[in-house]
Amino acid sequence: MKKTLFLVFLGLALIASAYMAFIYYVPYSTGTRAGELIKISQKGVFFKTWEGEISQGISGAQIFSFSILDDDKEVIEKLNELQGKYVKIKYTERYKTFFIWGDSNYFVTEVVLEKSPHINNR
């Protein structure tokens, strides 16, 4: 009986580990988006996650929400510096997310300051 119970728990642990590895290492899509960085914040009570938003339209009509993993310290610092400016971000979309990673399925991996197309440069 103990051996059967052990094998059941071992099987469940392996399935859960494989599921988490699949969600973390296999991206659904990758891409870039550009817009005005309107929000970057750390939120949560027990598990703090970094969340952000860029406005991709005039007057904030189209908002793109994203998360940043805690391991990406350089990206977090750069986003904090560039808040309110026009940026281009590279992201990875995952199939799902876990509450300890962030609210969004989109995870920013790189951020670059970009020239705004809304400013008339004469």
Side-chain angles (χ1 to χ4, degrees), residues 17-119:
S17 297
Y19 177 72
M20 286 187 73
F22 176 78
I23 292 206
Y24 186 77
Y25 290 109
V26 180
Y28 181 71
S29 71
T30 57
T32 59
R33 293 200 185 202
E36 182 184 355
L37 181 62
I38 58 173
K39 176 186 168 190
I40 179 76
S41 64
Q42 190 176 31
K43 60 190 247 183
V45 177
F46 296 111
F47 296 99
K48 300 285 188 187
T49 61
W50 285 95
E51 309 297 329
E53 293 179 348
I54 60 174
S55 172
Q56 295 184 285
I58 297 174
S59 74
Q62 188 176 6
I63 303 292
F64 176 70
S65 298
F66 58 85
S67 298
I68 309 105
L69 292 175
D70 285 335
D71 300 343
D72 293 333
K73 300 286 185 204
E74 184 178 320
V75 173
I76 293 168
E77 289 174 16
K78 207 162 188 184
L79 285 167
N80 277 319
E81 290 173 16
L82 297 175
Q83 188 163 346
K85 299 198 167 124
Y86 197 84
V87 296
K88 179 168 70 172
I89 59 171
K90 289 187 180 180
Y91 65 88
T92 300
E93 181 183 6
R94 296 206 164 93
Y95 289 96
K96 289 194 170 248
T97 187
F98 293 107
F99 63 95
I100 58 174
W101 291 345
D103 292 341
S104 172
N105 291 357
Y106 298 95
F107 293 89
V108 172
T109 56
E110 187 179 328
V111 60
V112 178
L113 181 63
E114 194 73 12
K115 194 175 191 180
S116 175
H118 303 297
I119 298 175

